[in-house]
Each structure stands twice: as C-alpha cells, then as structure tokens.
Amino acid sequence: RKEVEQDPGPFNVPEGATVAFNCTYSNSASQSFFWYRQDCRKEPKLLMSVYSSGNEDGRFTAQLNRASQYISLLIRDSKLSDSATYLCVVNDRSSYKLIFGSGTRLLVRP
Amino acid sequence: DTAVSQTPKYLVTQMGNDKSIKCEQNLGHDTMYWYKQDSKKFLKIMFSYNNKELIINETVPNRFSPKSPDKAHLNLHINSLELGDSAVYFCASSQEVNYGYTFGSGTRLTVV
C-alpha cells in the first residue's frame, strides 16, 4: 500500500463549480498534513496546512480525519487559474521528511 | 530575492557523464532536501541534510552524492549518468518539517 494515496483524476469541472479531493495515508503516527499545488513544469508550492479542527483559506477548505486517516480539500467557486495538480502531503515525524502523494489533476473549463 | 535557487534549470547530457546540480537557500533554514520527480510525476525524497549533517539517505544508487558545504547550500553530484536518471530534481528547504517545505524551481535532467 502506498504511504499517501490520491485519485489521479483528472477532475474536469466548469468555472464556478465546487470540487473536492480526497487523500488517505497509511502511517497513523503522522503528525503534519499539507496540500501543495503544482502547476505544469513548475515546483510544488504550499497551498495550505491541514489542522485537526479543519481550516479554511478563502475558497479553499481542508479537513483531517485522523481516525480514518483521511484528508480532504474542497475548492468552492472554481476559477480557471485553479487548474493544476494538487498534492496531498504527510509528514512522518519519526523520519523527518514529507511524503507526497502522486497528485490529483484539476482542469477548470470556461 | 529568490528563496531557494537551483542551477542549472535544464541539463542535457550523454550517458556515462558526471554532472552536478547546485542549490542555495537564503531563508535561514536548517534543513535542505533533494527530491526526484519522475515521468509519472511522483515526488520521492533522496537526501536530507540538517546543518550540514546527512539525516536522510533513501535507497539511492551510490552514483548520487550530496554535499553540503554549509547549511545554505546543498549540491548533488551524479556519476556515470544513466537513461533512468532522467527526471526533474527539486531542492527544498525547511526550518521545521511541520511548517512544510519551500522548493526550488527544479532542474530538468535529460540523459541521452
């Protein structure tokens, strides 16, 4: 089983739609969780951290379910500029590194 | 004012050659990393240094040798390049892993 699993997509949605991505992780000892965004031929950039209580940043909402080892990202009112690959990222504190999922590709169409 | 800078951005070389990629960060972070992103876009850690000391060394062929002259620099030297080494190599840094990483813009290596 992969340490971090994501649906590769692509998710093809119209502008203005709400879209949700899910991610599962295998290590119950993981302590920190993130969503990164990667545009084509660019480096990954931190989108937001994910906290146990859930957190929101504008149109983006992240949730964590430790019992199910599951992380989600909700994007409301999708914009064309949201088209990118979204990477679910988990820190394994015992090994001091970030483990990246293979990403979910989002395409927002006009 | 680039936070994490890598050079070169593109590298095309023949099999069997030796090449180096350089990375520098001006964020004052203690830890630096090398990640490899293959053609399937999967990002996998290779090495990590904390204050010039190697703390993570994944199962990477020993043709790959990282060097950290100081905590702001982490270079990657690759000997006897093979076709399978073609990938994008990302350098990253962090103060604490809990805060996430800042990535460099990547080095696209093509071995022909």
Side-chain angles (χ1 to χ4, degrees):
Chain A
R1 182 184 172 190
K2 286 182 186 173
E3 292 178 276
V4 180
E5 294 210 55
Q6 296 182 250
D7 180 343
F11 285 60
N12 192 324
V13 303
E15 268 188 293
T18 295
V19 62
F21 307 136
N22 301 321
C23 163
T24 56
Y25 60 96
S26 61
N27 191 336
S28 59
S30 296
Q31 298 290 326
S32 301
F33 310 90
F34 307 91
W35 284 101
Y36 273 71
R37 170 192 170 131
Q38 187 172 24
D39 292 288
C40 189
R41 301 180 77 88
K42 298 284 189 183
E43 73 272 24
K45 290 186 178 174
L46 179 63
L47 179 66
M48 59 196 302
S49 300
V50 185
Y51 303 119
S52 296
S53 53
N55 48 297
E56 193 173 302
D57 183 1
R59 299 181 292 109
F60 299 83
T61 301
Q63 302 245 318
L64 168 65
N65 183 323
R66 284 188 187 271
S68 303
Q69 293 177 210
Y70 167 101
I71 306 161
S72 65
L73 177 69
L74 182 80
I75 305 175
R76 290 181 299 278
D77 188 23
S78 299
K79 311 290 184 195
L80 295 176
S81 57
D82 293 334
S83 297
T85 297
Y86 291 83
L87 303 168
C88 176
V89 185
V90 172
N91 160 238
D92 184 345
R93 176 169 276 184
S94 63
S95 54
Y96 301 100
K97 66 184 181 189
L98 291 183
I99 301 163
F100 286 76
S102 54
T104 298
R105 192 161 169 228
L106 172 65
L107 300 171
V108 181
R109 62 180 188 272
Chain B
D1 59 354
T2 305
V4 181
S5 58
Q6 291 179 233
T7 55
K9 196 169 176 64
Y10 299 97
L11 189 51
V12 181
T13 188
Q14 290 188 323
M15 280 175 56
N17 283 351
D18 302 339
K19 290 293 177 186
S20 292
I21 307 172
K22 295 187 176 183
C23 179
E24 176 181 2
Q25 55 97 2
N26 63 6
L27 297 166
H29 289 167
D30 287 336
T31 309
M32 296 184 73
Y33 311 83
W34 278 110
Y35 274 76
K36 178 181 179 180
Q37 189 168 42
D38 59 26
S39 57
K40 294 182 180 174
K41 307 300 182 189
F42 184 56
L43 264 167
K44 188 168 181 187
I45 192 165
M46 301 172 71
F47 302 103
S48 175
Y49 272 73
N50 180 276
N51 265 317
K52 302 192 295 176
E53 281 196 39
L54 182 66
I55 57 170
I56 294 174
N57 184 349
E58 295 290 295
T59 48
V60 176
N62 56 16
R63 298 182 294 105
F64 289 79
S65 52
K67 281 192 173 49
S68 182
D70 55 63
K71 76 172 195 176
H73 295 84
L74 179 60
N75 304 324
L76 183 65
H77 188 76
I78 316 170
N79 289 326
S80 304
L81 278 154
E82 299 178 357
L83 292 176
D85 297 332
S86 296
V88 181
Y89 292 84
F90 286 102
C91 176
S93 73
S94 70
Q95 185 54 31
E96 277 188 47
V97 179
N98 289 349
Y99 298 140
Y101 298 164
T102 301
F103 281 89
S105 57
T107 295
R108 187 170 295 272
L109 171 65
T110 304
V111 183
V112 297

